[in-house]
Amino acid sequence: MFELIIDTDFAAAHNLRGYKGQCENLHGHNWKVQVVLKSEKLDNLGMVIDFREAKKLIGDITKKFDHTYLNDMEHFKAENPTTENISRIIYRELTSAMPSGIKVEKVTTWESDRCGATYFE
Protein backbone atom coordinates (compact mmCIF):
# COMPACT_ATOMS: atom_id res chain seq x y z
CA MET A 1 0.00 0.00 0.00
CA PHE A 2 1.25 3.48 -0.86
CA GLU A 3 0.27 6.85 0.60
CA LEU A 4 0.97 10.29 -0.80
CA ILE A 5 0.79 13.36 1.42
CA ILE A 6 0.13 16.74 -0.12
CA ASP A 7 -0.12 20.02 1.79
CA THR A 8 -1.66 23.23 0.55
CA ASP A 9 -3.25 26.33 2.08
CA PHE A 10 -5.75 29.11 1.59
CA ALA A 11 -6.81 32.25 3.42
CA ALA A 12 -10.46 32.92 4.19
CA ALA A 13 -12.81 34.63 6.61
CA HIS A 14 -15.86 33.23 8.37
CA ASN A 15 -18.01 33.45 11.43
CA LEU A 16 -19.89 30.73 13.26
CA ARG A 17 -23.63 31.33 13.44
CA GLY A 18 -25.15 30.44 16.80
CA TYR A 19 -21.78 30.23 18.54
CA LYS A 20 -21.61 32.05 21.86
CA GLY A 21 -18.15 33.57 21.93
CA GLN A 22 -15.52 35.28 19.84
CA CYS A 23 -15.90 32.93 16.86
CA GLU A 24 -19.39 34.31 16.29
CA ASN A 25 -17.67 37.49 15.10
CA LEU A 26 -16.19 37.84 11.64
CA HIS A 27 -12.58 36.61 11.65
CA GLY A 28 -10.11 34.91 9.34
CA HIS A 29 -7.59 32.12 9.23
CA ASN A 30 -4.68 31.03 7.11
CA TRP A 31 -5.98 27.49 6.68
CA LYS A 32 -3.59 24.61 5.99
CA VAL A 33 -4.93 21.51 4.25
CA GLN A 34 -3.27 18.12 4.24
CA VAL A 35 -4.53 15.42 1.87
CA VAL A 36 -3.53 11.77 2.11
CA LEU A 37 -4.05 9.67 -1.02
CA LYS A 38 -3.81 5.89 -1.01
CA SER A 39 -3.26 3.24 -3.69
CA GLU A 40 -2.29 -0.41 -3.86
CA LYS A 41 -0.66 0.02 -7.27
CA LEU A 42 1.85 2.23 -8.99
CA ASP A 43 1.60 3.35 -12.59
CA ASN A 44 4.14 2.40 -15.27
CA LEU A 45 6.43 5.22 -14.03
CA GLY A 46 6.36 3.93 -10.46
CA MET A 47 3.97 6.60 -9.12
CA VAL A 48 0.58 6.57 -7.43
CA ILE A 49 -0.19 9.79 -9.30
CA ASP A 50 2.06 12.58 -10.52
CA PHE A 51 2.33 15.12 -7.70
CA ARG A 52 1.63 17.91 -10.21
CA GLU A 53 -1.65 16.28 -11.20
CA ALA A 54 -2.65 15.66 -7.57
CA LYS A 55 -1.78 19.25 -6.59
CA LYS A 56 -3.86 20.57 -9.50
CA LEU A 57 -6.89 18.49 -8.49
CA ILE A 58 -6.56 19.65 -4.88
CA GLY A 59 -5.93 23.25 -5.94
CA ASP A 60 -9.04 23.28 -8.15
CA ILE A 61 -11.06 22.60 -5.01
CA THR A 62 -9.23 24.74 -2.46
CA LYS A 63 -9.02 27.81 -4.73
CA LYS A 64 -12.81 28.11 -4.37
CA PHE A 65 -12.24 28.83 -0.67
CA ASP A 66 -9.26 31.17 -1.05
CA HIS A 67 -9.79 34.83 -0.14
CA THR A 68 -13.53 34.41 0.36
CA TYR A 69 -16.06 34.93 3.09
CA LEU A 70 -16.90 31.27 3.59
CA ASN A 71 -20.39 31.96 4.92
CA ASP A 72 -21.36 33.25 1.45
CA MET A 73 -20.48 29.95 -0.24
CA GLU A 74 -23.34 27.65 -1.19
CA HIS A 75 -21.87 24.88 0.99
CA PHE A 76 -22.30 27.02 4.07
CA LYS A 77 -25.76 28.49 3.58
CA ALA A 78 -27.30 25.81 5.83
CA GLU A 79 -24.32 24.76 7.96
CA ASN A 80 -21.45 26.55 9.63
CA PRO A 81 -18.09 26.87 7.86
CA THR A 82 -16.28 24.93 10.55
CA THR A 83 -12.93 23.27 10.11
CA GLU A 84 -14.72 19.91 10.28
CA ASN A 85 -17.14 20.82 7.48
CA ILE A 86 -14.35 22.23 5.30
CA SER A 87 -12.43 18.94 5.62
CA ARG A 88 -15.55 16.95 4.66
CA ILE A 89 -16.30 19.09 1.62
CA ILE A 90 -12.72 18.90 0.34
CA TYR A 91 -12.65 15.13 0.95
CA ARG A 92 -15.88 14.47 -0.96
CA GLU A 93 -15.11 16.79 -3.87
CA LEU A 94 -11.62 15.35 -4.22
CA THR A 95 -12.95 11.79 -4.04
CA SER A 96 -15.16 12.57 -7.03
CA ALA A 97 -12.21 14.02 -8.96
CA MET A 98 -9.63 11.26 -8.29
CA PRO A 99 -8.70 8.81 -11.03
CA SER A 100 -9.75 5.18 -10.61
CA GLY A 101 -7.61 3.20 -8.18
CA ILE A 102 -6.65 6.19 -6.02
CA LYS A 103 -8.50 6.69 -2.75
CA VAL A 104 -8.63 9.84 -0.70
CA GLU A 105 -7.66 8.40 2.66
CA LYS A 106 -8.26 11.55 4.71
CA VAL A 107 -8.26 15.32 4.65
CA THR A 108 -7.03 17.37 7.60
CA THR A 109 -7.71 21.09 7.71
CA TRP A 110 -5.86 23.28 10.19
CA GLU A 111 -7.27 26.67 11.19
CA SER A 112 -4.21 27.41 13.31
CA ASP A 113 -0.90 25.78 14.16
CA ARG A 114 -2.53 23.87 17.00
CA CYS A 115 -6.14 23.26 15.92
CA GLY A 116 -7.30 21.08 13.04
CA ALA A 117 -9.95 18.55 12.04
CA THR A 118 -9.68 15.38 9.97
CA TYR A 119 -12.41 13.82 7.83
CA PHE A 120 -12.34 10.31 6.34
CA GLU A 121 -14.84 7.64 5.34
Side-chain angles (χ1 to χ4, degrees):
M1 190 64 67
F2 299 92
E3 286 187 341
L4 298 185
I5 301 167
I6 299 161
D7 291 343
T8 190
D9 54 49
F10 65 92
H14 72 153
N15 66 290
L16 301 181
R17 297 177 294 271
Y19 184 88
K20 302 301 180 215
Q22 288 182 323
C23 292
E24 188 173 24
N25 299 323
L26 176 64
H27 65 284
H29 298 283
N30 291 316
W31 309 81
K32 178 182 173 189
V33 178
Q34 183 174 80
V35 174
V36 178
L37 304 176
K38 189 174 181 177
S39 178
E40 293 182 6
K41 299 177 188 175
L42 300 177
D43 66 13
N44 60 345
L45 296 175
M47 296 186 235
V48 169
I49 185 174
D50 187 320
F51 278 114
R52 281 186 307 175
E53 183 180 351
K55 289 191 291 188
K56 182 186 179 323
L57 292 170
I58 295 164
D60 288 346
I61 295 165
T62 58
K63 74 180 176 188
K64 294 184 267 185
F65 296 96
D66 193 36
H67 285 80
T68 66
Y69 174 50
L70 297 174
N71 296 62
D72 284 344
M73 294 180 71
E74 193 60 38
H75 291 295
F76 302 119
K77 294 293 184 188
E79 61 186 12
N80 270 323
T82 61
T83 307
E84 294 88 343
N85 285 329
I86 293 168
S87 290
R88 179 178 43 81
I89 290 164
I90 294 170
Y91 177 99
R92 290 189 175 164
E93 288 190 13
L94 188 56
T95 295
S96 296
M98 267 300 126
S100 177
I102 301 172
K103 180 186 184 324
V104 180
E105 182 69 12
K106 62 184 175 180
V107 172
T108 302
T109 305
W110 297 85
E111 67 176 46
S112 73
D113 290 340
R114 295 178 293 222
C115 298
T118 299
Y119 183 84
F120 58 94
E121 294 180 355

